[in-house]
Amino acid sequence: MTSVNSRNLPDEVHRDIVETAVKPQGRVKLGSLLAGIGCEAKLTDEEFAIFEDVRDRSLARSASFDE
């Protein structure tokens, strides 16, 4: 594991360096992640047709919080 020593840095600069190092480069978006997985799957037309056949095509309903 690599280590870096830094001396005589103001606390604000040190904190900024650490936060930048551990912060993800961008927000992970679930839809993009799932779409990427789907693209990597390389489904055949027959396999894709199976998903189309079983897909729920009913309209979405509004959430109800009444009991």
Side-chain angles (χ1 to χ4, degrees):
M1 178 180 223
T2 304
S3 64
V4 175
N5 294 324
S6 57
R7 296 188 176 118
N8 300 324
L9 287 175
D11 286 340
E12 182 179 307
V13 173
H14 182 263
R15 190 180 315 116
D16 186 50
I17 291 170
V18 172
E19 287 177 359
T20 302
V22 299
K23 182 173 54 173
Q25 292 298 317
R27 191 176 119 206
V28 176
K29 297 178 182 173
L30 182 59
S32 299
L33 179 65
L34 292 174
I37 292 170
C39 289
E40 291 175 12
K42 308 279 190 221
L43 296 177
T44 65
D45 289 340
E46 293 81 19
E47 292 168 327
F48 185 76
I50 292 170
F51 285 105
E52 284 296 310
D53 289 341
V54 296
R55 189 175 70 153
D56 183 6
R57 294 180 184 350
S58 61
L59 297 176
R61 294 185 314 259
S62 300
S64 174
F65 299 102
D66 299 328
E67 290 187 40

